[in-house]
Amino acid sequence: ASAIEFIEQLKQAYGDYVTLINLFIDECCYEKLIAAQSGMTSVEYDARVAAGMKMQQIYLKDYHLFDEMVIYTGEETVFDYKALEKQFEQIINRRKN
């Protein structure tokens, strides 16, 4: 989230050779995803949640920088990577064609 300039440079330099994807995870699921990682301090946890929220704001402000949007609003229980993988696979398959 702190490197929006880098994203802009990638887009300018590589155009269609790079697919820039914004991953949107709702706040509740994002917090659970981070909390599931072991050995994380509360400071690191707070920083990661803040970074995720900032990335969402960047997307809303500069959505034109991104080629695709992957959305995960999952269930309130367990974060499911397979649900995300399916969305990414669809994007990859579209790019191959």
Side-chain angles (χ1 to χ4, degrees), residues 57-87:
Q57 292 170 355
I58 288 170
Y59 177 78
L60 293 173
K61 181 181 170 204
D62 294 317
Y63 64 90
H64 63 280
L65 294 175
F66 299 91
D67 300 306
E68 298 280 351
M69 172 75 152
V70 171
I71 300 175
Y72 183 82
T73 56
E75 301 188 14
E76 294 183 19
T77 53
V78 178
F79 189 84
D80 182 7
Y81 281 105
K82 294 209 182 292
L84 286 178
E85 286 175 354
K86 287 179 185 177
Q87 292 185 64

Side-chain angles (χ1 to χ4, degrees), residues 1-5 7 30 47-48 50-58 66:
S2 63
I4 193 68
E5 296 83 15
I7 292 172
Y30 191 68
R48 289 188 183 205
M53 298 304 107
K54 183 176 180 184
M55 198 64 218
Q56 289 179 21
Q57 292 170 355
I58 288 170
F66 299 91

Side-chain angles (χ1 to χ4, degrees), residues 84-95:
L84 286 178
E85 286 175 354
K86 287 179 185 177
Q87 292 185 64
F88 283 115
E89 284 174 7
Q90 289 174 352
I91 292 169
I92 291 166
N93 289 335
R94 278 200 313 268
R95 289 291 291 188

Side-chain angles (χ1 to χ4, degrees), residues 3-15 18 20 65:
I4 193 68
E5 296 83 15
F6 179 66
I7 292 172
E8 291 171 332
Q9 290 170 5
L10 278 174
K11 190 80 166 157
Q12 289 173 356
Y14 297 102
V18 173
L20 296 174
L65 294 175

